[in-house]
Structures are given as C-alpha cells and as structure tokens.
C-alpha cells in the first residue's frame, strides 16, 4: 500500500495532486536530507501532506526516520493538532489489526505533546507535537549528564521536523523569522529532513527559509485541487453590538460562530455581553471563551470543548490550526492582514459550506477633529493631497507630546526632508487632548493624525497598510500568490527597516555561530522577542510542589506587573527551597518581599481568577468603577471588587536583590538545583 492508498484508507478521501507531489518530495528528503516548503491556502490539507509519508513508514515498519517532530508557533495549537494526528494514528493501528480500544490507547502513547510542562524536552515519543519554544530549548539543552537528558538534539537529528504555520513567527523586529531561518539552516546542514508549511508566506520570510528547497504549491494544471466554501467579507464601522443580528441569524441557522477580539479584556467583555443577550438562541454551555490567561488545566479543557461549542469568543489563539466544520460566521477586530486571512479562513472550510467574515472597526474618535482621522495609508495620502509614493515609513516611540511615551507610525512622502507625518492610536490621541490645568487642547499637533480604531496590541503602521487591503480578503483566502503580494505591501516598511534584529540576543548569536563545543545559552535563551512570567493562584505561604495545571503564563510587562503587585493582585514570589539530603527541591516558599523579573513564578490572589473567564484584572477593575458593558448596561461579575482585593492583600511590598533571570520549563524549575 503506497502513501496515497493509505491516505484513502485513513481519511476516505482521494488525495489532492499537490499532496501527491508533497509525499514524493518528503519521502525523498527522509532518505537523504533536504527541505520541502508547502504553501497552500487554508483548509487545504497541509497536515496530512506533511505527516502521511512518516505514517506510511510506520505502517510498513520501514521507519525511514526514527520519529516525527511537529513544531507549532503557539501552545494553543498543540493540543488540537496532536488530537488530529492521534486520530490518523489510531486508524492506522486498526488497519494493522488492533482493536479500536487498543488502537486509541496506543495512539495516545504514540503521539506526545511537549510545550513547556516537561522536565527535559527529550522528545521521547514516536510523534512529538511541540511549540517553537520547546523545540528550541531542546535543541540548545546542555549536553551534560545529570538532571537534564543528554540527547534531545540527537533525537531531533533522527527525526522528520515539520514547522507549521510559519507566518505566525513574524514580529516587529523580525527576530523570530531570522532565528527560525538559522535553525532550519543548521538542520539542513546536518541532513535532517525539514518541512516548512503555511498558507501565507511573505516574500522576505520566504527568502530566509526556502533557499535550496523543493516548493510545493497548488498548480494551475492540477485536476484535483483544494476547494473551500464561499466566504463573503464585509467591513463594519462599529462593534459586536452592531452585528448582533448577523450572529443571531447564523446561530438560528445551526451554524457555528467565531468572534475574535484583539485583547483579553475585550474578549471577556464580549463573552459576557453575548452570553447575556443570546440566551434565546444558544445555551450557556455552548458558549466558549478562550484566551491565553487561563491555567494550563482549564485552557486544555476549553480547547477540548471547542468541537461542541456553537459560539466561540476568543483572542488571537484561534488564528491558525482550528479546523471546525460548519463555521458560518467569523466576526473579528481589524488586525494585520495575515492574521485576518487566518481568522476568516476558519469559516466555510468545506466546499459545500457558505459563510461570512465581518471585520469590525470599533470607532473611538469622539472629540477628535474629523480631518485628523485616517483609516489607511491611502486615506492619509488623500488627506495630504499627495499623488506620489510614500518613500519611507517606520514605527517609533516618542515623548514629544508629553511625559507619556506613545507609539506612532512616522510616514514620509515625496518632498519631505526633515519631518514626516505621524499617526497614533486613537486612545493615545485622546490622552494628548486631555485637560491640563482646566483646559483641553483644541486639536492635535499639525503633523499628528489618529486612527479611529485602537491599534493595540499591534502597531499603527501595520494596521494602516492592512486597511487598504480589506476589500480583497476574500480573494486572498484562495490565492496564495495574491495573498503574498498583498502581505509584501503590508509589511514592506517593516522589512526595509527591521530585517536585521535590533538586538543580537544570545540565542541568535549562538545559532548563527554554532560550533561543536560552544556552550548553549540555555539559561538566557530567548526564542521570541517578548519575555514572560508565570502566575500561580495560591494564598499559602508555602507550596509543597508546583501543579503545572495551575500555572498561567503571561507576557512580561514590568509596569503592569508593578501595578498588580501594588494592588495585591500579585502577592509574592515563589522561590524553590533546596533539600541537600534529597538532592532536590523540597518546597516552594512564597516570599512577600520580592523584585519583579522575567521568567519568575509569582503568587496570584485566587480571587482574581475564574475558571469561566480566566485571569482578567482589567475587567474586574473596570467593573468596580461602574463602567458599562458593550450594550451600555452595567455588567455583572463573578469576581470581587478592587477594594476587596486590597483588603485581602497583606504585608508590605518591598524590594530585594534578585538573581539573574533564567529561561526554564515549569517542571524543570522543580527538579534541578
């Protein structure tokens, strides 16, 4: 049985022409090393294109490589992809004579998930589904005998390595793409077979990772090619309440609805609003909220409940890898173009399905002159009466408009010599106009313009360039060439300005100048630009052992963490206590006097956490001050008010000298000295 025949037995489908070409190419690199790049629109079956050659080897017991390592950019994608691969593995084992029960049990053991909760990143399974962070830490692990295993790099060297959803590796400084290209280059030189996949790979990222690669795409002459349902895209100047009837109609028709907000606070607010106003068409258990600030245990349970949910309110965590049938409506905030393609790409993924994508532009521009409002770069050119090209643009942080630093897109047109025009977030513009000494500024400075919608958490330049592409998103869902050309326009200035990382972090230097006996930067390794900390809900002064299911991982923001510390939201720092006799950590002490630092583990006041809505201090604070929900009515909350939290907080907040920040996995912190 060849790969195509096995695919038919496992899925019941005839393979696409591009999948057959991909299997031939991957079977070739599994024998002699090399690199294959698969670029196919969303819902095109890329997962099966990547894993079937390995599964064919398992079926025939030929094992051209020892294992498959499937790398994803975020933790939210790992569990769903692992379950998808387990189903294929289970059916394969049944073809080999196992009963359904035996096959499922073996598939659970065969497909291993590793994303920061393990002691070693040893990659001990046959199929490992892991995150970019975990893969990188395993590759750079210390090669010493002791509490760390000595062979994660060796395990990787004997594997077929798949990097999926690589468009999500982008960042403003292009740090992750550059690091990814170095790692792929090292694997390629070591004859490790590598597969890189995405629906939308911008040209610069392509240049970094595709040299000497076999390119697999859907070709014009293909007879059997991926197709998806029809998706109409609409732009709405407004918020969720303005498309409530669209949501209600889709639910009444029996279709799933996905609502994606750009921030956790907006997602929680939207979830509460929709749960209250849609009681007549959807039951509470069928409404799901998903974001990054849940404990590991609660988040995993929510991800497992996605299949049965009818209405999903989420942040960016669902942008890729979510393959649900019958999604009839996707409502999303404006976001970078590649994110919008991925979000709306969750809709109508089967040929017979029909759906709609709605991009929201929630305007917050009251009090700002209309002539100072611009939605996109083309509108700015029109406002400035410029006919020529914009010659240069960049994103910068400035204090030119007060003591508060704001992020602005700085844009130069033909003829500008000294100073360009600037565009800032609408909320920053309002703060510039705030009353000072009893007087409110009449207008923004001459060179400063404002977006009518919030750019947070993105930068204003990428949303300005994205806005001009909104009308063609429907085309970009099915045409990768057009999508790439549009992405090149959106990210043009980012590529021009930031293609070389701004900081030569230890990870970048290590992988760029890799030598056989050089020391891996395990304790300083940075796999992505942002830092993080871990929160652990507890009121105890000591913790016997860390339960990984209770950990919440959030981005490191010293100012925000400082505010939470001052308000009694963060109540201490967990420090390991070493037991010399046991040669291990005996317990964790919660120190009430502590200094904030990246990668630390901090005690979280449990009253600020709800299994339903997660860790949402911003929402709790807003509600205690009497602010309103999306429909203008006061919203109820299950959490206490800020004043109640303050009463529960105890002990003076002081400072002590902290040790050097180190990168580590959760359990690793509990088992190594």
């Amino acid at each position: 049985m060849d790969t195509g025949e096995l695919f038919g037995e496992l899925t019941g489908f005839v393979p696409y022409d591009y999948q057959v070409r991909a299997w031939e190419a991957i079977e070739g690199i599994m024998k002699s090393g090399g690199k294959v790049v698969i670029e196919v629109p969303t819902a095109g079956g890329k997962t099966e294109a990547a894993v079937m050659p390995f599964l064919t080897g398992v079926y025939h017991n030929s094992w051209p490589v020892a294992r498959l390592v499937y790398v994803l950019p975020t933790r939210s994608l790992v569990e769903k992809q692992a379950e998808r691969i387990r189903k294929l593995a289970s059916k394969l084992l049944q073809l080999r004579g196992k009963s359904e029960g035996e096959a499922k049990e073996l598939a659970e053991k065969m497909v291993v998930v590793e994303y920061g909760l393990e002691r070693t990143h040893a990659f001990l399974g046959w199929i490992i589904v892991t995150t970019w962070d975990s893969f990188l830490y395993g590759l750079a692990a210390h090669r010493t005998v002791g509490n760390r295993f000595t062979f994660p790099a060796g395990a990787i060297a004997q594997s077929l390595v798949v990097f999926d959803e690589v468009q999500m590796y982008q960042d403003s400084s292009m740090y992750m793409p550059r690091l990814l290209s170095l790692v792929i280059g090292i694997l390629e030189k070591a004859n490790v077979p590598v597969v890189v996949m995405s629906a939308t790979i911008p040209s610069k990222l392509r240049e970094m990772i595709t040299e000497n690669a076999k390119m697999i795409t859907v070709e014009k002459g293909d007879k059997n090619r991926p197709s998806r349902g029809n998706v109409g895209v609409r732009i709405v100047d407004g918020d969720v309440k303005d498309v409530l009837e669209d949501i209600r109609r889709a639910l009444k028709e029996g279709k799933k609805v996905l609502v994606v907000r750009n921030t956790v606070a907006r997602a929680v607010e939207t979830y509460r609003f929709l749960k209250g106003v849609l009681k007549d068409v959807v039951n509470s258990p069928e409404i799901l909220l998903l974001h990054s600030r849940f404990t590991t245990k609660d988040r995993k349970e929510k991800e497992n409940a996605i299949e049965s949910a009818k209405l999903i309110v989420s942040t960016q965590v669902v942008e890729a890898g979510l393959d649900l049938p019958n999604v009839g409506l996707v409502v999303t905030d404006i976001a970078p173009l590649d994110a919008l393609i991925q979000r709306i790409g969750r809709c109508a993924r089967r040929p017979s399905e029909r759906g709609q994508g709605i991009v929201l532009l929630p305007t917050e521009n009251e009090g700002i002159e209309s002539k100072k409002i611009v939605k996109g770069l083309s509108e700015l050119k029109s406002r400035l009466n410029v006919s020529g090209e914009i010659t240069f643009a960049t994103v910068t942080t400035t204090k030119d408009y007060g003591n508060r630093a704001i992020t602005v897109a700085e844009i130069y047109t033909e003829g500008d010599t000294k100073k360009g025009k600037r565009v800032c977030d609408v909320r920053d513009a309002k703060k510039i106009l705030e009353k000072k000494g009893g007087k409110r500024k009449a207008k923004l400075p001459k060179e400063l313009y404002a977006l009518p919608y919030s750019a947070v958490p993105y930068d204003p330049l990428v949303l300005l360039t994205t806005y001009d592409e909104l009308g063609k998103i429907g085309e970009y869902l099915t045409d990768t060439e057009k999508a790439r050309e549009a992405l090149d326009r959106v990210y043009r200035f980012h590529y021009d300005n930031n293609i070389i990382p701004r900081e030569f972090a230890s990870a970048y230097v290590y992988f760029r100048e890799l030598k056989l006996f050089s020391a891996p930067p395990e304790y300083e390794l940075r796999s992505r630009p942002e830092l993080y900390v871990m929160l652990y809900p507890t009121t105890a002064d000591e913790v016997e052992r860390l339960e990984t299911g209770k950990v919440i991982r959030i981005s490191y923001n010293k100012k925000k963490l400082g505010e939470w510390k001052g308000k009694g939201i963060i109540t201490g720092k967990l420090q390991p206590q070493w037991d010399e006799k046991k040669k291990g950590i005996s317990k964790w002490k919660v120190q009430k006097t502590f200094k904030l630092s990246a990668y630390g583990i901090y005690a979280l006041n449990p009253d600020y956490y709800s299994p339903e809505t997660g860790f949402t201090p911003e929402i709790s604070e807003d509600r205690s001050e009497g602010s309103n929900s999306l429909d203008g009515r006061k919203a109820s909350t299950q959490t206490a008010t800020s004043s109640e939290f303050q009463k529960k907080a105890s002990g003076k907040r002081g400072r002590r000298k902290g040790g050097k920040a180190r990168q580590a996995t959760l359990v690793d912190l509990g088992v190594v000295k």
Side-chain angles (χ1 to χ4, degrees):
M1 189 182 300
D2 64 18
T3 305
E5 292 170 329
L6 181 61
F7 173 80
E9 291 288 338
L10 298 183
T11 66
F13 294 105
V14 176
Y16 299 128
D17 293 352
Y18 94 84
Q19 287 178 319
V20 174
R21 293 194 296 272
W23 295 335
E24 292 173 355
I26 294 170
E27 286 165 359
I29 65 172
M30 283 197 299
K31 295 175 182 176
S32 56
K35 184 167 55 180
V36 172
V37 175
I38 301 175
E39 188 177 16
V40 175
T42 55
K46 291 188 295 296
T47 299
E48 289 75 16
V51 305
M52 281 306 305
F54 177 80
L55 294 178
T56 301
V58 174
Y59 177 81
H60 291 293
N61 202 27
S62 58
W63 295 92
V65 291
R67 61 185 56 77
L68 166 68
V69 179
Y70 200 106
V71 186
L72 291 157
T74 65
R75 290 172 293 151
S76 61
L77 300 173
V78 167
E79 292 290 348
K80 292 298 295 180
Q81 197 69 317
E83 188 57 34
R84 184 173 178 177
I85 297 173
R86 281 192 190 105
K87 289 178 180 178
L88 291 173
S90 177
K91 290 179 180 179
L92 182 148
L93 291 167
Q94 290 178 60
L95 288 178
R96 290 299 306 267
K98 300 293 182 182
S99 67
E100 183 177 350
E102 287 177 317
K104 285 184 177 180
E105 185 178 348
L106 284 171
E108 283 290 329
K109 297 176 181 178
M110 185 177 178
V111 182
V112 177
V113 167
E114 293 200 19
Y115 58 91
L117 306 181
E118 302 73 30
R119 299 184 178 187
T120 63
H121 299 308
F123 298 165
L124 294 175
W126 287 345
I127 300 173
I128 299 97
V129 186
T130 185
T131 57
W132 163 242
D133 308 67
S134 297
F135 179 84
L136 201 65
Y137 302 154
L139 189 61
H142 276 317
R143 318 289 186 244
T144 55
V145 177
N147 289 309
R148 291 288 279 193
F149 277 94
T150 60
F151 52 81
I156 291 170
Q158 300 175 59
S159 304
L160 168 65
V161 180
V162 178
F163 293 98
D164 197 3
E165 306 291 0
V166 295
Q167 80 284 341
M168 294 181 71
Y169 289 77
Q170 290 193 92
D171 55 75
S172 59
S173 65
M174 297 297 286
Y175 174 77
M176 275 201 294
R178 180 67 70 173
L179 195 56
L180 176 66
S181 68
L182 291 173
V183 169
I184 289 175
I186 289 167
L187 296 175
E188 188 179 6
K189 288 179 181 177
N191 288 328
V192 177
V194 176
V195 178
V196 180
M197 300 197 298
S198 175
T200 48
I201 308 180
S203 294
K204 285 292 182 181
L205 184 55
R206 245 183 169 225
E207 290 172 14
M208 291 182 194
I209 62 178
T210 61
E211 186 180 0
N212 301 321
K214 173 70 174 175
M215 297 294 302
I216 304 294
T217 61
V218 177
E219 298 177 359
K220 291 182 179 179
D222 287 352
K223 293 181 180 179
N224 190 17
R225 52 193 295 152
S227 61
R228 56 178 304 137
N230 183 43
V231 181
V233 180
R234 191 165 109 235
I235 316 302
V236 172
D237 287 308
D239 212 328
V240 169
K241 60 184 174 60
D242 299 300
V243 296
L244 194 57
E245 288 310 307
D246 295 270
I247 296 173
R248 190 183 298 276
R249 188 183 310 113
L251 290 170
K252 284 183 176 179
E253 292 173 356
K255 296 179 180 178
K256 291 179 182 288
V257 176
L258 176 63
V259 181
V260 188
R261 309 311 303 260
N262 288 344
T263 66
V264 172
R266 294 297 282 170
V268 174
E269 187 180 38
T270 301
Y271 167 78
R272 288 175 173 167
F273 168 65
L274 292 178
K275 187 177 178 182
V277 300
L278 294 175
K279 291 178 180 178
D280 57 324
V281 290
V282 62
N283 298 321
S284 290
E286 297 170 327
I287 304 177
L288 182 70
L289 172 66
L290 187 62
H291 57 72
S292 60
R293 289 188 186 174
F294 285 102
T295 63
T296 305
K297 176 178 176 292
D298 289 341
R299 182 164 168 170
K300 186 173 181 178
E301 289 177 357
K302 287 177 176 290
E303 288 169 356
N304 290 336
I306 283 177
E307 297 279 352
S308 58
K310 292 183 179 178
L311 173 59
I312 302 166
V313 181
S314 178
T315 56
Q316 301 93 320
V317 297
V318 296
E319 275 181 13
L322 183 65
D323 185 19
L324 293 176
N326 200 33
V327 176
L329 176 63
V330 174
V331 179
T332 171
D333 287 333
I334 184 173
L337 180 61
D338 47 339
L340 291 177
I341 292 172
Q342 291 292 333
R343 292 179 189 184
I344 297 175
R346 306 304 106 198
C347 184
R349 293 171 68 85
R350 277 70 176 172
S352 60
E353 295 176 352
R354 296 292 179 268
Q356 185 177 40
I358 297 177
V359 180
L360 297 176
L361 300 175
T363 52
E364 306 175 32
N365 58 329
E366 296 83 3
I368 302 175
E369 300 173 89
S370 59
K371 67 179 183 180
K372 284 290 187 177
I373 294 293
V374 292
K375 295 180 179 178
L377 269 186
S378 58
E379 189 172 323
L380 179 64
K381 286 176 61 178
S382 175
R383 186 87 73 223
L384 298 175
N385 197 24
V386 174
S387 57
E389 286 295 315
I390 290 172
T391 56
F392 178 77
T394 189
V395 178
T396 185
T397 301
T398 178
K399 290 187 177 181
D400 290 353
Y401 308 105
N403 292 327
R404 181 177 177 273
I406 67 168
T407 300
V408 297
E410 201 162 57
I411 295 143
Y412 293 81
T413 58
E414 292 178 2
D416 288 329
T417 55
K418 292 183 178 179
K419 202 170 187 179
K421 303 302 179 186
R422 290 176 168 181
V423 181
C424 69
D425 183 273
V426 64
R427 298 182 186 183
D428 285 330
K430 285 186 173 182
K431 288 179 179 176
I432 293 170
L433 294 172
E434 280 176 357
K435 292 180 180 179
K436 290 187 177 179
K439 293 183 179 180
R440 185 180 186 276
K441 291 184 179 180
K443 56 185 179 181
L444 293 173
K446 182 179 179 181
E447 78 285 353
L448 186 64
Y449 293 79
L451 295 170
Y453 47 83
S454 177
V456 177
Y458 307 107
D459 70 59
L461 179 57
V462 74
L463 292 196
L464 278 167
T465 51
T466 291
Y467 179 82
D468 293 341
E469 305 290 343
L470 292 181
K472 296 184 178 179
I473 290 179
E475 294 180 37
Y476 303 154
L477 288 175
T478 56
D479 192 321
T480 56
E481 193 62 39
K482 286 184 178 179
R484 187 184 313 110
E485 291 171 359
L487 288 171
D488 291 344
R489 291 191 292 270
V490 167
Y491 287 104
R492 170 193 161 192
F493 300 111
H494 288 78
Y495 294 152
D496 291 346
N497 302 338
N498 300 313
I499 202 67
I500 300 298
R502 291 172 181 165
E503 59 181 317
F504 284 79
S506 58
Y508 179 83
V509 174
Y510 172 71
F511 286 109
R512 187 190 62 184
E513 301 177 357
L514 186 66
K515 298 179 178 64
L516 181 60
F517 297 106
S518 60
E522 185 178 53
Y523 297 107
E524 298 174 356
L525 186 59
R526 225 170 129 176
S527 63
R528 57 187 73 226
E530 69 270 17
L531 306 175
Y532 69 87
V533 298
M534 290 169 278
L535 304 182
Y536 194 82
T538 182
T539 56
D541 293 328
E542 290 183 349
V543 177
E544 289 298 318
R545 67 181 185 88
L546 289 184
E547 297 177 42
T548 57
K550 291 176 64 176
V551 170
I552 306 167
R553 177 169 154 170
I554 64 170
S555 295
Y556 175 74
N557 181 316
K558 190 172 183 180
K559 181 180 178 182
K560 181 62 71 176
L561 289 170
E563 291 174 1
W564 294 344
K565 176 183 175 183
K567 293 176 180 178
I569 300 172
I570 292 178
T571 59
K573 184 172 185 177
L574 277 72
Q575 295 284 33
Q577 307 299 302
W578 183 259
D579 188 319
E580 192 60 39
K581 291 183 179 179
K582 296 181 180 178
K583 298 297 180 184
I585 290 173
S586 58
K587 59 186 176 182
W588 294 75
K589 186 176 181 181
V590 180
Q591 295 186 346
K592 300 298 183 180
T593 302
F594 61 95
K595 183 178 179 181
L596 295 164
S597 60
Y599 308 125
I601 304 180
Y602 298 95
L604 172 68
N605 187 328
D607 289 328
Y608 265 97
Y609 183 80
S610 160
E612 181 185 6
T613 57
F615 171 55
T616 54
E618 302 93 341
I619 296 293
S620 299
E621 290 166 25
D622 288 347
R623 295 294 171 252
S624 68
E625 295 167 5
S627 64
N628 296 329
S629 62
L630 288 169
D631 66 345
R633 295 173 297 187
K634 180 143 178 118
S636 62
T637 175
Q638 298 178 352
T639 56
T641 64
S642 293
S643 59
E644 289 173 316
F645 292 136
Q646 292 282 20
K647 292 175 184 176
K648 292 180 181 179
S650 61
K652 279 190 175 182
R653 301 303 190 268
R655 292 190 176 187
R656 69 173 187 84
K657 291 186 177 180
K660 187 177 182 181
R662 65 169 295 223
Q663 180 79 61
T665 65
L666 305 181
V667 183
D668 179 49
L669 286 166
V671 295
V672 241
K673 188 173 180 179

